[in-house]
């Protein structure tokens, strides 16, 4: 694959970086990244990854754009209200960078379709808003052996971590199961400061690019928690848990399943 | 005695991790707990005794993203 002169210009600020160069930019152009959720976290991730020249971006989301989304889901515009998010997202990506191939999946991620879809990508980015989906993505990345960039936002707090299955701590190594449904507030009840989606989603995109380029130190075995009120990042070290039901020494989870109630909501700080 | 809870120094009574959760009115089902970078299984919260200087992390679920 050779870049055209226009592409060399477009990506010149990348190519200038010794850590990227023409070689790294080609790695980016060959990369396939799946965004699960084309909403708050998926929006900035999609836009920055498209701008960066990621070759293939997959968008999976079954929702249509709602007025209440626009406060943070910058992939969608007012004129998109009522349209499928994956359609709106594909248009924005194409407008930003026609080099990018966008594959869309207008469906929910389920235990039934996850592995097949994941198998077509190099890296998976979690931009979903419920625990069933977050655990499903974690488990599917383990079975499909795909690196996962996990993210979560709530109120004024955000969290991001990178999971390389079988090499670093997985989501279940830390949080064994989804929280009990009755104790969890829904995202609609909880609220979120819109800019958090930009901060956390952009860190997720950064982590994905680092993995593609094979540079730096990935955010593995660390949870990076962000407190927007204090403008404070905290890093919490985590380790692979030998008792993990998924990736531990004696796993009890041997196939994909939908853990918990998918409509149980998103929260929580007690 | 002094321990650090989520990075902040706190003066607490000696006791178990579960005692500290109870004091803070945190439902054990809502957190993952790490003491000195080691995950503590929920069933061991009551039997894990905190000591001076321990680093305690209460990791809350953070679920949003849309
Ligand atoms: Zn694990």
């Amino acid at each position: 694959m050779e870049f055209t002169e226009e592409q060399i210009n477009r990506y010149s600020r990348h190519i200038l970086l010794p850590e990227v160069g023409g070689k790294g930019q080609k790695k980016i152009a060959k990369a396939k990244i799946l965004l699960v959720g084309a909403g708050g976290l998926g929006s900035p991730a999609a836009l920055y990854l498209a701008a960066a020249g990621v070759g293939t971006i997959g968008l999976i989301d079954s929702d249509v754009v709602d007025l209440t989304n626009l406060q943070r889901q910058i992939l969608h515009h007012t004129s998109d209200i009522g349209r499928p998010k994956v359609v709106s997202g594909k248009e924005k990506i194409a407008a930003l960078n026609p080099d990018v191939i966008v594959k869309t999946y207008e469906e929910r991620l389920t235990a039934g379709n996850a592995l097949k879809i994941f198998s077509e990508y190099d890296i998976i980015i979690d931009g979903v808003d419920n625990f069933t989906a977050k655990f499903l993505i974690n488990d599917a990345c383990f079975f499909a052996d795909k690196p996962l960039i996990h993210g979560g936002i709530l109120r004024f707090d955000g969290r991001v971590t990178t999971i390389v299955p079988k090499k670093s701590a997985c989501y279940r190594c830390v949080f064994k199961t989804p929280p009990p449904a009755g104790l969890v507030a829904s995202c609609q009840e909880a609220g979120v400061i819109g800019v958090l989606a930009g901060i956390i989603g952009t860190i997720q995109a950064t982590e994905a690019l680092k993995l593609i380029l094979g540079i730096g130190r990935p955010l593995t075995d660390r949870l990076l928690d962000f407190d927007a009120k204090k403008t404070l990042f905290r890093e919490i070290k985590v380790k692979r848990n030998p008792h993990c039901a998924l990736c531990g020494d004696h796993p009890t989870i041997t196939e994909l399943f939908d853990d918990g109630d998918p409509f149980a909501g998103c929260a929580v700080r007690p | 005695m002094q321990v650090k809870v989520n990075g902040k120094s706190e003066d607490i009574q000696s006791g178990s991790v579960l005692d500290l959760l109870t004091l803070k009115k945190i439902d054990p089902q809502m957190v993952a707990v790490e003491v000195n970078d080691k995950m503590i299984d929920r069933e061991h919260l009551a039997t894990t005794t905190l000591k001076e200087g321990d680093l305690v992390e209460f990791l809350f679920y953070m679920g949003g993203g849309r």
Side-chain angles (χ1 to χ4, degrees):
Chain A
M1 184 185 70
E2 290 305 321
F3 287 125
T4 63
E5 207 175 311
E6 193 189 319
Q7 286 171 321
I8 291 168
N9 273 329
R10 178 186 283 267
Y11 305 119
S12 58
R13 297 301 190 279
H14 269 168
I15 295 169
L16 280 170
L17 295 166
E19 293 85 349
V20 184
K23 221 172 131 190
Q25 191 61 45
K26 278 181 191 166
K27 287 185 192 167
I28 297 173
K30 282 186 197 140
K32 297 176 179 176
I33 300 183
L34 178 69
L35 304 175
V36 186
L41 295 172
S43 284
L47 291 172
Y48 271 112
L49 293 172
V54 168
T56 303
I57 294 178
L59 298 175
I60 173 164
D61 202 308
S62 63
D63 274 2
V64 295
V65 180
D66 181 82
L67 180 61
T68 60
N69 300 152
L70 302 182
Q71 162 257 22
R72 65 199 175 283
Q73 302 186 8
I74 57 170
L75 198 54
H76 314 297
H77 299 174
T78 304
S79 54
D80 294 313
I81 291 169
R83 305 176 70 217
K85 287 186 181 173
V86 294
V87 174
S88 160
K90 183 174 180 165
E91 281 175 10
K92 305 309 180 323
I93 292 171
L96 175 58
N97 188 349
D99 291 346
V100 181
I101 297 166
V102 185
K103 290 191 181 159
T104 59
Y105 309 85
E106 197 183 334
E107 55 194 301
R108 279 186 86 87
L109 187 78
T110 66
N113 64 14
L115 290 179
K116 188 169 181 294
I117 297 172
F118 282 21
S119 71
E120 293 172 39
Y121 294 88
D122 305 316
I123 295 172
I124 313 298
I125 294 186
D126 172 347
V128 298
D129 65 352
N130 68 82
F131 289 110
T132 299
K134 285 193 185 300
F135 279 87
L136 176 63
I137 292 169
N138 178 71
D139 297 356
C141 282
F142 173 81
F143 290 118
D145 208 11
K146 303 289 179 180
L148 164 62
I149 322 290
H150 169 95
I153 48 173
L154 179 74
R155 300 193 183 115
F156 288 87
D157 292 295
R159 173 179 295 152
V160 53
T161 186
T162 296
I163 296 165
V164 180
K166 295 158 198 137
K167 294 204 173 73
S168 73
C170 86
Y171 195 53
R172 282 192 194 271
C173 286
V174 182
F175 299 99
K176 293 180 178 172
T177 55
L183 293 175
V184 185
S186 76
C187 289
Q188 290 93 323
E189 291 162 38
V192 62
I193 188 92
V195 291
L196 258 184
I199 293 165
I200 300 301
T202 306
I203 295 174
Q204 289 179 286
T206 312
E207 283 300 300
L209 287 172
K210 280 165 57 190
L211 286 184
I212 293 165
L213 293 166
I215 58 168
R217 174 176 163 240
L219 189 56
T220 45
D221 291 324
R222 304 180 273 156
L223 305 183
L224 185 62
D225 278 14
F226 177 65
D227 179 337
K229 280 189 184 160
K230 295 183 184 146
T231 310
L232 200 70
F233 281 99
R234 277 196 76 231
E235 186 177 298
I236 300 115
K237 280 191 212 125
V238 292
K239 274 198 285 256
R240 280 190 73 184
N241 186 345
H243 304 296
C244 178
L246 181 70
C247 78
D249 298 336
H250 304 284
T252 52
I253 298 169
T254 52
E255 59 180 25
L256 273 191
F257 70 115
D258 290 307
D259 198 353
D261 174 1
F263 303 102
C266 83
V268 172
R269 192 174 284 265
Chain B
M1 64 178 183
Q2 291 276 329
V3 295
K4 269 196 174 167
V5 181
N6 291 11
K8 255 174 49 194
S9 287
E10 292 196 24
D11 205 10
I12 61 159
Q13 301 277 317
S14 57
S16 69
V17 177
L18 189 62
D19 294 335
L20 184 58
L21 284 168
T22 309
L23 183 78
K24 290 180 169 293
K25 300 191 173 68
I26 298 170
D27 187 326
Q29 293 187 94
M30 301 310 287
V31 281
V33 180
E34 237 186 42
V35 177
N36 302 328
D37 294 338
K38 194 171 166 281
M39 297 299 311
I40 308 294
D41 283 347
R42 223 159 260 157
E43 49 271 30
H44 297 144
L45 293 174
T47 52
T48 304
T49 311
L50 290 170
K51 5 178 251 307
E52 176 81 28
D54 275 348
L55 305 173
V56 185
E57 291 287 346
F58 293 140
L59 299 167
F60 297 96
Y61 288 92
M62 188 107 58
R66 292 288 277 272

